[in-house]
Amino acid sequence: MQTTDPHSREAAAAVAGMAETYGWTPSPGDVVRCEPPFVGGITTGVVRATNGTYCLVSIGEDTLAYYPRELWWTGERVEG
């Protein structure tokens, strides 16, 4: 998601810097890349919930559970 709001860009840069330094922890709204089971390939989804062990990721009309280590953050977020 591209924005021209300087505050949003500053916040995104801070999040990226913290992830680079401390490692990324999935949170609701993060756009991630993942491998859906039985389909193959890599697709994009949105983290909807986390519980410390699993992340629920919406991919199209499906919601699947992943370990955080199975997700790659795209650096983007969505709201809602």
Side-chain angles (χ1 to χ4, degrees):
M1 173 161 60
Q2 197 75 326
T3 181
T4 58
D5 177 32
H7 299 292
S8 294
R9 289 195 313 261
E10 183 178 1
V15 168
M18 300 271 294
E20 201 173 289
T21 303
Y22 300 107
W24 169 71
T25 302
S27 62
D30 287 349
V31 178
V32 295
R33 293 178 54 89
C34 53
E35 183 176 354
F38 311 112
V39 177
I42 302 293
T43 190
T44 302
V46 177
V47 175
R48 293 299 177 197
T50 63
N51 70 0
T53 303
Y54 296 105
C55 299
L56 293 179
V57 179
S58 293
I59 302 170
E61 295 185 18
D62 296 325
T63 300
L64 303 170
Y66 289 91
Y67 288 111
R69 68 178 179 269
E70 298 175 309
L71 304 173
W72 299 276
W73 187 38
T74 64
E76 297 179 19
R77 291 189 45 78
V78 295
E79 300 300 324

